[in-house]
Amino acid sequence: MMARTLLMARLLSLEAFGEFSFGLLVSSSFNMLNCLGLQIILQRDLPIMILRHHEKSGAILLSQCLIVSSVSGCFIFLVIFIANILTLEIPTKFMLIGLLHGLVQQIFLIATTESRSRGQPTRYSLQYLARSSGIIVVGGLIASATGSAFLTLVAETSVVIITIHRLLVSVYRNASIKFTHALHLAIRKLPNIQWKASIWLFLASSTTFLMFNIDRWIASHTFNKEDFGLYTFAGTILIVGQMIQSLINTTVFPMLVRRNATFGKVHTYFLSLKISGILFCAWAVLSIAIWLIMNYGFIHIFPKYQNIQALLPYFMVTASFRIAGIWSSFLIITGNNIQLFTLKMFTITFSIILWIFYIHFFHTNIISLGNLAVFSGVLSISDYLVTMATSWQTTFRKQPQTL
């Protein structure tokens, strides 16, 4: 979705782009819920269910994700509404449209889990392309005609709603089960969900999201809309990185699940190590082209964003560790959910301490664009190193011998 971000930066004013970016931040924050961890279980278990021809059970699990996601969205909507009544200082309009935007995006991800789990990357790519092209065309037209960040977010949300309707029809048709029947069984079997594992996965994914987005939340509450727009635009590199990582993970995660189920943990570890190394090398080559484009070409195309050049090196390094960071997926697949949450909390705490040390000894202005970029990098590097080391340790540690 980098093209969408660049298009909006071009069409919207700097202030409106800041508002648009805040709406997307709320949207991605809702996606962090991952249906309280159930979406991760769906990604982990659906490939195996399909492999074993338990497709109706997979459709029921997918329906449970839809239910939990929708209920979570309604609950958060109610919280925002009550907070607004109590006159708390919450930007209600962009919070609510961002929430709805995030809900439909999450439903899209849930629906496309089916094509990914079937090992059909071409079909998934076409689904992703249909959503992305619709968002760019319709959102671009609305942004150009109105200059309104709010109406642009409404347009994007409408496009995704139309897309997911078509997707869900094909999902239940392929599973040979009616939507209403699957929904009824899903509600009845909600108590049977592995809620303990789901909650731990939710906590782990929440901390991962916090690591990747805490700098933007700080920026949204510290800087004015123009500066927040600048910081978000500089972070376009991270959007590229996360998009690449997400696309790769949609294929890699089911593949690692199958490898672990067939050959065991050691083979899965070495495959993960190989993939991570390839991603590092590929990004190193790609980042040179991206840096040249952003450092020189964008000055002429986006003159109002030329002050971001100093931030680019920080975000380049950060993106490399995010793209290659598949070790969290490895730990989830191998059943180390609780340990993963502990690692994420340790990484966040360690990175905050390290950042404070950096601020204290090298800078006087605590909150600045550059300092936040450094903080983002520290979080990503620490996360990669800690999860990689733990993956090695859990794979090759010696088991106690029994008499």
Side-chain angles (χ1 to χ4, degrees):
M1 300 302 285
M2 179 185 178
R4 184 265 302 270
T5 303
L6 297 179
L7 179 63
M8 297 308 163
R10 178 71 176 175
L11 296 176
L12 299 174
S13 66
L14 189 53
E15 180 179 353
F17 181 70
E19 294 173 338
F20 178 78
S21 300
F22 179 74
L24 293 184
L25 180 59
V26 175
S27 175
S28 60
S29 298
F30 179 80
N31 277 286
M32 167 272 300
L33 293 176
N34 279 316
C35 308
L36 300 180
L38 194 59
Q39 185 177 345
I40 304 176
I41 290 180
L42 177 69
Q43 293 174 340
R44 185 190 66 188
D45 293 353
L46 188 56
I48 298 176
M49 289 179 174
I50 292 175
L51 188 65
R52 295 175 179 174
H53 305 290
H54 298 160
E55 299 195 17
K56 291 185 179 179
S57 297
I60 293 171
L61 178 58
L62 188 144
S63 301
Q64 289 172 329
C65 288
L66 296 177
I67 293 170
V68 173
S69 179
S70 300
V71 172
S72 300
C74 292
F75 175 77
I76 297 174
F77 180 91
L78 183 62
V79 170
I80 296 174
F81 181 75
I82 293 174
N84 186 52
I85 292 177
L86 297 176
T87 66
L88 296 179
E89 295 183 359
I90 296 179
T92 310
K93 184 169 72 170
F94 284 98
M95 286 287 285
L96 293 180
I97 188 58
L99 173 63
L100 182 59
H101 190 281
L103 174 60
V104 299
Q105 296 290 350
Q106 185 168 84
I107 293 175
F108 173 82
L109 293 175
I110 293 170
T112 54
T113 304
E114 184 255 357
S115 59
R116 289 177 273 155
S117 299
R118 291 182 183 277
Q120 298 174 340
T122 303
R123 180 172 164 230
Y124 168 72
S125 299
L126 291 174
Q127 293 169 344
Y128 188 89
L129 179 63
R131 181 197 64 164
S132 301
S133 58
I135 284 176
I136 291 173
V137 173
V138 177
L141 289 174
I142 296 299
S144 178
T146 66
S148 169
F150 179 78
L151 293 178
T152 302
L153 289 168
V154 171
E156 291 192 359
T157 303
S158 302
V159 169
V160 181
I161 289 175
I162 296 171
T163 305
I164 59 179
H165 174 264
R166 295 174 61 87
L167 287 178
L168 289 175
V169 169
S170 65
V171 166
Y172 290 101
R173 183 176 61 243
N174 292 338
S176 301
I177 187 172
K178 292 183 178 180
F179 172 73
T180 52
H181 183 51
L183 200 63
H184 172 73
L185 293 175
I187 295 173
R188 196 174 70 182
K189 294 184 178 182
L190 277 175
N192 299 332
I193 292 176
Q194 306 171 34
W195 285 113
K196 183 178 179 180
S198 176
I199 294 300
W200 279 113
L201 288 170
F202 161 66
L203 292 174
S205 64
S206 298
T207 51
T208 300
F209 173 85
L210 185 62
M211 284 192 296
F212 288 172
N213 293 277
I214 188 174
D215 60 316
R216 288 200 293 160
W217 274 110
I218 293 174
S220 70
H221 285 80
T222 304
F223 305 134
N224 55 37
K225 294 177 181 179
E226 289 80 4
D227 286 342
F228 179 61
L230 286 173
Y231 187 81
T232 303
F233 187 77
T236 302
I237 297 173
L238 298 184
I239 295 176
V240 176
Q242 288 176 237
M243 179 184 66
I244 294 173
Q245 206 277 340
S246 177
L247 288 172
I248 292 172
N249 199 48
T250 56
T251 302
V252 168
F253 193 95
M255 180 174 64
L256 293 179
V257 170
R258 291 190 291 268
R259 176 62 65 95
N260 187 59
T262 306
F263 298 104
K265 187 185 296 185
V266 175
H267 285 79
T268 308
Y269 173 84
F270 282 113
L271 178 60
S272 301
L273 184 64
K274 181 180 179 180
I275 293 172
S276 182
I278 292 173
L279 292 177
F280 258 126
C281 296
W283 176 253
V285 175
L286 181 61
S287 62
I288 297 175
I290 294 176
W291 184 83
L292 290 173
I293 293 172
M294 294 195 70
N295 198 43
Y296 296 103
F298 282 12
I299 296 177
H300 304 288
I301 304 174
F302 304 95
K304 56 189 174 185
Y305 296 97
Q306 59 183 329
N307 293 331
I308 69 167
Q309 289 175 293
L311 302 178
L312 297 183
Y314 299 112
F315 286 130
M316 284 291 184
V317 175
T318 300
S320 65
F321 283 91
R322 290 190 184 183
I323 290 173
I326 64 172
W327 299 110
S328 293
S329 297
F330 174 84
L331 292 171
I332 290 172
I333 291 168
T334 54
N336 295 283
N337 305 333
I338 298 177
Q339 191 172 12
L340 180 60
F341 170 68
T342 305
L343 289 173
K344 299 294 184 180
M345 291 302 298
F346 167 79
T347 302
I348 292 173
T349 304
F350 171 77
S351 299
I352 290 175
I353 294 173
L354 193 61
W355 185 53
I356 292 174
F357 178 84
Y358 169 81
I359 294 289
H360 179 72
F361 285 95
F362 296 98
H363 290 272
T364 56
N365 183 14
I366 295 180
I367 304 297
S368 68
L369 297 177
N371 288 339
L372 280 179
V374 170
F375 181 48
S376 176
V378 169
L379 281 168
S380 296
I381 294 171
S382 300
D383 177 58
Y384 181 89
L385 295 177
V386 170
T387 52
M388 181 179 68
T390 305
S391 298
W392 181 89
Q393 191 265 337
T394 57
T395 302
F396 297 104
R397 64 185 173 191
K398 294 182 179 180
Q399 299 294 333
Q401 296 181 353
T402 56
L403 298 175

